[in-house]
Amino acid sequence: MNFEQARFNMIEQQLRPGKVLNPDVLDVLFVVKREEFVPAAHRRLSFADTEIPLGGTAGACMLSPRVEAHALQALEMKKHERVLEVGTGSGYMAALLGVHADHVWTVEIDPQLADV
């Protein structure tokens, strides 16, 4: 699978038409490799417009790329800001936030996810 092409298609076919237009948000989605945060069994779904199961005791899921991008866009992060993320999950959102914020703290209650 060509992840670079899939990432480009996700941005151009899902996110831009879905009103994710902030250039900083779109740039970070190119830089942070989403497929590296997706469980290996679901890696081919990395850029699909769907939630991806992470496992764990609570049945956690990675949000769809569109929801993640909208959340990041709505935050309008500034480089001097610090972030506390509750519910680390795969760590992808923390990585996205880390590009935009001065510092990110993230906590995970599910021991199966926290050990990853």
Side-chain angles (χ1 to χ4, degrees):
M1 176 174 193
N2 182 337
F3 287 119
E4 294 305 316
Q5 184 65 53
R7 184 180 349 280
F8 176 83
N9 292 345
M10 172 193 72
I11 289 170
E12 297 303 321
Q13 297 171 4
Q14 292 176 41
L15 303 184
R16 283 188 200 275
K19 305 279 190 266
V20 178
L21 303 173
N22 182 315
D24 292 334
V25 171
L26 296 172
D27 287 347
V28 76
L29 292 168
F30 271 115
V31 173
V32 179
K33 308 297 186 200
R34 190 169 201 272
E35 66 275 12
E36 294 177 6
F37 295 86
V38 174
H42 301 290
R43 195 143 294 147
R44 295 185 70 71
L45 296 174
S46 294
F47 305 102
D49 189 21
T50 189
E51 292 181 343
I52 298 174
L54 295 175
T57 58
C61 290
M62 253 180 114
L63 298 173
S64 72
R66 189 181 322 206
V67 171
E68 291 167 332
H70 274 286
L72 203 57
Q73 181 170 266
L75 287 171
E76 297 180 351
M77 294 294 307
K78 306 290 185 251
K79 273 302 216 184
H80 70 277
E81 294 180 308
R82 297 176 182 184
V83 177
L84 171 62
E85 178 195 39
V86 178
T88 307
S90 70
Y92 181 62
M93 183 57 80
L96 294 173
L97 291 166
V99 174
H100 287 284
D102 178 52
H103 193 86
V104 177
W105 292 270
T106 184
V107 293
E108 177 59 58
I109 194 169
D110 187 329
Q112 288 180 338
L113 296 177
D115 288 341
V116 177

